[in-house]
Amino acid sequence: MRKNSWIAWLIVLAGIFAVVQIKPQIVPQVKSELQSANNQIQPYVYLIKANIEKKLSGQRETTTEKQVGKATTPTEEPLQGMTTAKTYYYHFKDNVPQSARQVFEYAVEQYNKTGIVNLVPGKADSDQNSVTFFVYHKKIENVMSSSVELGNGGPSALQLNDYAINTSRAGLNLTYPTLSVKKSVAMHELGHALGLAHSSYTNSVMYPVDQGVYQLSEADLNGLRSIYDK
Ligand SMILES: [Zn+2]
């Protein structure tokens, strides 16, 4: 029955085709093909010695973007060369105190004002981008250390070809609340979560040492556009 088996195969192929058509959102189904990138976590610090020296000398070492011309804040490795959605769903861990929520909410507002990303309160589905805001406690291990860790955060991207689903985190170190619960720290850590890497310019929110900068620079905006406006 050659003809019948041919028809049977056709029916099977049509069935497979129908399943593929019905499930265009293949992303959650093919997790085995997704590569998980490690979280890019670099601590954001407050330099004790540098600040004392700065106060004594009354001057500040600065390299700003204006002195260099057009600059772009670099992209964290998991999102480099990737396309990703501009919409993020964000939520706070239960133990985040009101003071920390306030500075994170300020940061959310600033990033939303750019129009480049869109952060919405709520929980994300597995194929949507998310930010989890958290707090933690970490003491200086070395008493001779010249820096205090204020926070950390970063993207964690599941990559499918050149598309990334970013499950990101942004946190403040509550061991030093007077230094860490600040708009500048929240801007920095949310910047990491959204894929911005460290900048060498002191007027960028992504400079690795807190300068109290709580507004995005031109280069920070360029950096965001390079990730989300492709
Ligand atoms: Zn950092």
Side-chain angles (χ1 to χ4, degrees):
M1 300 293 269
R2 220 187 168 91
K3 201 174 178 183
N4 277 357
S5 80
W6 180 79
I7 290 169
W9 274 111
L10 193 67
I11 291 166
V12 169
L13 282 175
I16 291 168
F17 185 70
V19 168
V20 171
Q21 288 297 299
I22 290 162
K23 288 266 170 205
Q25 271 195 319
I26 52 160
V27 173
Q29 275 74 38
V30 290
K31 272 209 174 121
S32 58
E33 286 178 37
L34 294 166
Q35 292 178 313
S36 179
N38 288 332
N39 259 59
Q40 292 285 107
I41 300 283
Q42 299 124 329
Y44 186 48
V45 298
Y46 177 83
L47 280 188
I48 301 162
K49 275 184 195 159
N51 262 291
I52 293 167
E53 280 160 20
K54 205 164 78 187
K55 271 174 196 150
L56 288 176
S57 67
Q59 55 175 302
R60 184 180 156 121
E61 215 182 286
T62 52
T63 312
T64 65
E65 293 151 15
K66 284 193 184 96
Q67 293 166 293
V68 185
K70 202 178 173 192
T72 300
T73 302
T75 305
E76 290 279 24
E77 195 276 328
L79 293 182
Q80 275 173 21
M82 292 280 151
T83 302
T84 192
K86 62 180 271 181
T87 298
Y88 280 78
Y89 293 89
Y90 70 89
H91 74 278
F92 296 92
K93 288 268 188 190
D94 289 341
N95 63 343
V96 177
Q98 197 53 37
S99 56
R101 279 174 199 244
Q102 272 174 9
V103 292
F104 278 134
E105 289 284 8
Y106 165 84
V108 165
E109 201 184 307
Q110 294 301 305
Y111 281 94
N112 276 343
K113 258 180 21 190
T114 66
I116 303 166
V117 287
N118 179 32
L119 292 98
V120 183
K123 294 253 182 168
D125 288 336
S126 58
D127 60 346
Q128 292 172 322
N129 288 348
S130 64
V131 185
T132 302
F133 293 114
F134 67 102
V135 290
Y136 65 102
H137 289 267
K138 188 175 172 184
K139 267 195 179 151
I140 307 176
E141 281 162 24
N142 178 359
V143 284
M144 295 302 283
S145 172
S146 59
S147 67
V148 171
E149 181 176 317
L150 303 180
N152 71 46
S156 179
L158 283 171
Q159 300 169 335
L160 177 63
N161 297 322
D162 60 353
Y163 188 79
I165 301 164
N166 184 9
T167 306
S168 70
R169 285 159 56 83
L172 302 180
N173 183 2
L174 290 191
T175 301
Y176 310 101
T178 53
L179 297 175
S180 68
V181 183
K182 287 169 66 180
K183 290 175 180 174
S184 58
V185 185
M187 288 296 287
H188 183 94
E189 299 310 342
L190 182 52
H192 276 315
L194 298 174
L196 295 178
H198 282 158
S199 164
S200 51
Y201 304 119
T202 50
N203 63 324
S204 164
V205 297
M206 297 315 295
Y207 190 73
V209 180
D210 186 25
Q211 306 288 312
V213 176
Y214 54 84
Q215 272 170 342
L216 295 163
S217 70
E218 224 19 74
D220 295 334
L221 292 171
N222 288 336
L224 281 177
R225 285 186 200 108
S226 75
I227 301 169
Y228 297 97
D229 287 350
K230 284 184 196 159

